[in-house]
Amino acid sequence: MIDQDKIKLAIASITEALGESLSQESIKNTPQRVAEMYAELFAGLDADPKAELSVGFEEGHYEMVILRDIPFYSMCEHHLLPFYGVAHVGYIPRVGGKIVGVSKLARVVEIFARRPQLQERMTKQIADAIFEALNPEGVGVVIQAEHLCMIMRGIKKPGTNVITSAVRGTFRSKSVTRSEFLSLIQGK
């Protein structure tokens, strides 16, 4: 559970450390606004992504299922600055396995994105949650994102994309399956 009172105190302290006064009309409610924002941005801390995948059904479909270009916004845990982009998620149902509504895949991405995060970890977590919950033949996840910590500070390189991938099962063991997934998420 996110402690909004502690966040308000911390933001008030940071504001004062910057030499600003909370008595200013324009920033007097900033601690409250930031606390509410953090509760929203980090709502994934209190959610179970596997629960989203618990309701599935047998459809007799044993070919690749892909949800492409899932937009997400997350917060880098190193600098508490946003990173944002798209996730591509695919899986192959196991014979006798189950499929889930495709919105459930987007919800899994959203839950992991709504935590203080590293892109590399988030990619792995999404793949592992789907692989464990659905027991498919294979899973592939690719995330492409821009990080404001590389744009606003430090190296200052806007337009730089970080691409991470995680593959499980046949997506790892069969290069033809992995190639098909990568080709389909590129829209070619």
Side-chain angles (χ1 to χ4, degrees):
M1 187 59 138
I2 293 172
D3 188 335
Q4 289 191 35
D5 289 332
K6 281 187 178 178
I7 294 171
K8 287 191 286 190
L9 288 172
I11 296 303
S13 180
I14 290 170
T15 302
E16 291 170 1
L18 292 171
E20 295 292 326
S21 170
L22 288 173
S23 64
Q24 293 179 58
E25 186 65 31
S26 62
I27 63 173
K28 72 179 184 181
N29 293 320
T30 296
Q32 177 66 38
R33 285 191 297 268
V34 172
E36 291 169 0
M37 175 187 69
Y38 276 12
E40 181 181 345
L41 294 179
F42 299 127
L45 290 167
D46 296 324
D48 178 6
K50 290 181 190 173
E52 294 294 334
L53 300 169
S54 65
V55 177
F57 44 95
E58 179 60 39
E59 184 57 36
H61 183 81
Y62 308 112
E63 301 295 328
M64 201 173 292
V65 176
I66 297 173
L67 191 56
R68 193 177 88 176
D69 298 326
I70 307 164
F72 74 89
Y73 304 88
S74 192
M75 292 286 273
C76 171
E77 67 184 34
H78 290 155
H79 300 101
L80 288 181
L81 285 172
F83 67 96
Y84 60 94
V86 293
H88 313 287
V89 177
Y91 73 101
I92 299 174
R94 186 177 299 280
V95 175
K98 64 179 180 179
I99 63 171
V100 293
V102 290
S103 69
K104 303 301 185 186
L105 299 174
R107 288 181 196 275
V108 169
V109 170
E110 184 74 7
I111 287 169
F112 283 119
R114 295 284 180 168
R115 299 174 176 188
Q117 199 51 279
L118 298 175
Q119 182 176 332
E120 297 87 344
R121 181 189 314 126
M122 187 172 104
T123 307
K124 177 187 176 306
Q125 288 173 329
I126 293 166
D128 288 344
I130 295 168
F131 198 64
E132 292 166 16
L134 298 184
N135 189 31
E137 291 288 333
V139 172
V141 176
V142 173
I143 295 179
Q144 179 177 345
E146 286 192 71
H147 292 244
L148 263 63
C149 57
M150 284 188 57
I151 295 170
M152 295 176 66
R153 55 158 306 280
I155 191 97
K156 296 182 182 110
K157 295 295 179 197
T160 303
N161 284 278
V162 177
I163 300 172
T164 52
S165 69
V167 290
R168 305 288 181 267
T170 56
F171 284 69
R172 180 184 297 256
S173 63
K174 294 185 178 177
S175 62
V176 122
T177 303
R178 187 171 48 255
S179 293
E180 178 184 356
F181 171 67
L182 294 173
S183 174
L184 290 170
I185 66 170
Q186 292 173 7
K188 297 177 182 176

